[in-house]
Amino acid sequence: MQDHVTPRRVVILGGGFAGLFAARALRQSPVAVTVVDRRAHHLFQPLLYQCASGILSEGQITQPLRRILRRHHNVSCLLAEATDVDVKARVVHARRPEGGVIQLPYDELIVAVGMRQSYFGHDEFAAHAPGMKTLEDALDIRRRIYRAFEMAETAADDRERQQWLTFALVGGGPTGVELAGQIREIAGHTLDREFQKIDSSQARVLLFEGSDAVLGSFGVPLAHRAAGTLQSLGVELHLDTMVTDVDAHGLTVQDHEGTMARFEARTVLWTAGVEAPPIAAALARATGATQDRAGRIEVEPDLTIPGYPEVRVTGDVMSLNRLPGLAEVAMQSGAYAGRTVRHAVEGRKKQPKPFKYWDLGSAAYISRGRAVVKAGPLHLSGAIGWFAWLFIHLAFLTGFRGRLGALLSWSVAFATSSRRERAFTMSDADTPAGPGFGQKTPPPPR
């Protein structure tokens, strides 16, 4: 009788694509849903690089979770970070941003925490080579890109000037390729004739990839076309090359023959590798679940953890049939997990069918009017690929305001090469010691 009085409690960890689609699938269900995320917004991660490069603003790629879910009256949002799970007591332990622990009892748990940047055991690289997984990362990268040109303008000598005008990107996947193309466009078009002492078009963009091709997951034909497009833009490709060290003035790499080389670059960006956040390891310890090398949790075909049918793992942090870490996988797995919970609550006795991913394709934007798209047997590149990329991203952007704003920004950027979102702030690490650059002048001695 009590079950009819008290709704079943569903806790969703993560407000990304998987968590959001899971919550939406439970909208009409007689359950009480709590979405837990360390940030109060949903982020459209595939367009982070456009925020970093100054095409789109933060508001065009984010939406407050509370606004998205405001009509879902059975859903509440909680600003906290999950730190542990007591699977026997069915309680999630979460930490508030300013401290303090919250305990969240659950009847059903959906894990949608995504992945974070991995430095393959060299976390010390992060201080000099930021990744791009969060909005904070994108704004930091924007600051580093545009600051580099400003610093080159006032460099003391040619060597320092060239260091500031050299950009090194580690990782030849979609994010690395997209960022490399954007930086070349910024240097060759956006900042053209804006400086007196430097020629921005002479900026070097170096792309380092450990395998023998960029965009290897797109297949040989598209990877070859993408490489040709990058090289025509002036991007220098270094394939079969591993980064062994990164510091404030550049990076050291080793090629497939074992030859070491040093490249001086004041801006190094890391787009290679991901790993699961700590909560995934905590959940694996609690349940005995198996994790892959990146920390993803291996799940059953219905996305549950073996022995724990009330716990479902979705999105990038799940390991199932070697599915890629794509937004489409997260959306579909999140919606599937939400539906299976809804069916269970509604008393449907039929076993859910195994999760099946429908491949909607992959896309990478390289430069104005040039992109590559792979959707099953369909391979598109150049202008046709760019229009397909445009349609795909407009379709999945959350909210009418986001779609309209992005379309207007893309129209301006494509027609004029200008970027409206070039503002950046300086951090404490960028300012010299002593007065100046916004620091207060110390009072005179008495």
Side-chain angles (χ1 to χ4, degrees):
M1 186 69 179
Q2 183 67 20
D3 289 340
H4 295 286
V5 175
T6 304
R8 289 182 67 79
R9 300 160 298 185
V10 181
V11 174
I12 300 175
L13 304 183
F17 287 115
L20 183 60
F21 274 68
R24 284 174 164 173
L26 291 165
R27 178 177 182 178
Q28 303 296 336
S29 301
V31 296
V33 181
T34 302
V35 177
V36 183
D37 198 290
R38 59 186 297 196
R39 292 174 178 83
H41 59 259
H42 168 73
L43 174 66
F44 194 87
Q45 259 191 0
L47 291 177
L48 263 179
Y49 73 96
Q50 293 214 358
C51 179
S53 59
I55 294 178
L56 300 180
S57 69
E58 306 93 293
Q60 289 168 324
I61 63 170
T62 60
Q63 282 278 357
L65 280 170
R66 294 183 183 277
R67 177 171 178 79
I68 297 173
L69 300 170
R70 66 189 184 281
R71 293 191 177 91
H72 297 58
H73 300 299
N74 63 334
V75 179
S76 61
C77 299
L78 186 66
L79 183 65
E81 181 178 10
T83 56
D84 203 358
V85 180
D86 185 339
V87 292
K88 293 183 178 179
R90 296 193 179 185
V91 173
V92 172
H93 299 274
R95 181 175 59 243
R96 300 174 64 229
E98 298 300 324
V101 176
I102 303 172
Q103 295 187 350
L104 302 168
Y106 66 86
D107 298 301
E108 306 283 348
L109 177 63
I110 299 177
V111 181
V113 293
M115 300 288 276
R116 66 180 186 178
Q117 200 72 60
S118 171
Y119 290 87
F120 306 109
H122 291 279
D123 291 344
E124 68 275 12
F125 292 175
H128 307 295
M132 194 166 65
K133 300 295 289 184
T134 67
L135 184 60
E136 292 88 346
D137 292 337
L139 295 178
D140 182 24
I141 289 174
R142 180 198 294 177
R143 176 178 61 84
R144 289 172 184 257
I145 291 173
Y146 288 103
R147 180 195 63 172
F149 291 98
E150 298 291 343
M151 296 299 290
E153 179 78 352
T154 57
D157 52 49
D158 289 340
R159 180 182 179 184
E160 182 190 348
R161 183 174 297 108
Q162 188 57 58
Q163 287 179 347
W164 283 112
L165 289 177
T166 301
F167 301 82
L169 295 97
V170 184
T175 302
V177 166
E178 289 165 336
L179 262 180
Q182 290 302 299
I183 295 174
R184 276 305 309 158
E185 282 208 337
I186 290 170
H189 299 285
T190 303
L191 301 180
D192 186 33
R193 296 188 297 274
E194 289 195 7
F195 291 90
Q196 284 73 46
K197 294 184 179 180
I198 65 170
D199 180 358
S200 64
S201 66
Q202 297 303 307
R204 295 179 66 193
V205 179
L206 317 176
L207 181 59
F208 298 91
E209 166 58 33
S211 68
D212 61 357
V214 296
L215 297 183
S217 62
F218 282 64
V220 175
L222 287 182
H224 181 72
R225 293 176 201 171
T229 300
L230 287 170
Q231 289 173 326
S232 69
L233 291 171
V235 177
E236 302 174 30
L237 300 183
H238 298 265
L239 306 178
D240 284 321
T241 303
M242 305 297 294
V243 174
T244 61
D245 191 29
V246 181
D247 58 41
H249 294 273
L251 69 171
T252 303
V253 302
Q254 181 179 10
D255 65 18
H256 65 284
E257 296 179 348
T259 304
M260 307 292 289
R262 169 74 181 179
F263 293 87
E264 293 190 337
R266 293 294 185 101
T267 305
V268 181
L269 308 177
W270 193 275
T271 63
V274 292
E275 64 183 10
I279 184 60
L283 180 61
R285 286 193 300 269
T287 60
T290 303
Q291 293 180 277
D292 66 11
R293 292 179 60 184
R296 300 180 184 90
I297 298 175
E298 296 186 9
V299 297
E300 300 283 15
D302 63 355
L303 307 189
T304 61
I305 293 179
Y308 296 87
E310 74 282 0
V311 181
R312 295 166 176 82
V313 182
T314 63
D316 293 358
V317 77
M318 76 173 182
S319 177
L320 177 68
N321 300 330
R322 303 187 70 176
L323 289 173
L326 298 175
E328 291 85 355
V329 176
M331 294 174 189
Q332 294 180 35
S333 61
Y336 172 91
R339 288 195 303 270
T340 56
V341 170
R342 185 181 72 222
H343 294 166
V345 171
E346 292 172 353
R348 301 189 190 186
K349 297 182 179 180
K350 186 177 180 180
Q351 287 291 107
K353 294 181 180 180
F355 172 68
K356 184 176 182 180
Y357 169 59
W358 295 94
D359 188 359
L360 300 179
S362 305
Y365 177 111
I366 302 176
S367 64
R368 288 188 304 159
R370 289 183 279 188
V372 292
V373 176
K374 177 186 177 184
L378 186 64
H379 290 188
L380 304 175
S381 61
I384 296 176
W386 187 83
F387 279 109
W389 173 92
L390 180 67
F391 173 79
I392 292 169
H393 285 77
L394 280 177
F396 287 111
L397 266 175
T398 303
F400 172 76
R401 178 180 174 272
R403 292 191 184 99
L404 180 60
L407 184 60
L408 291 174
S409 295
W410 285 332
S411 299
V412 171
F414 185 73
T416 67
S417 299
S418 66
R419 296 165 190 257
R420 302 173 60 184
E421 304 297 334
R422 286 167 49 182
F424 64 92
T425 58
M426 302 290 282
S427 68
D428 291 341
D430 297 312
T431 57
F437 287 92
Q439 298 185 13
K440 293 182 179 180
T441 303
R446 294 182 178 179

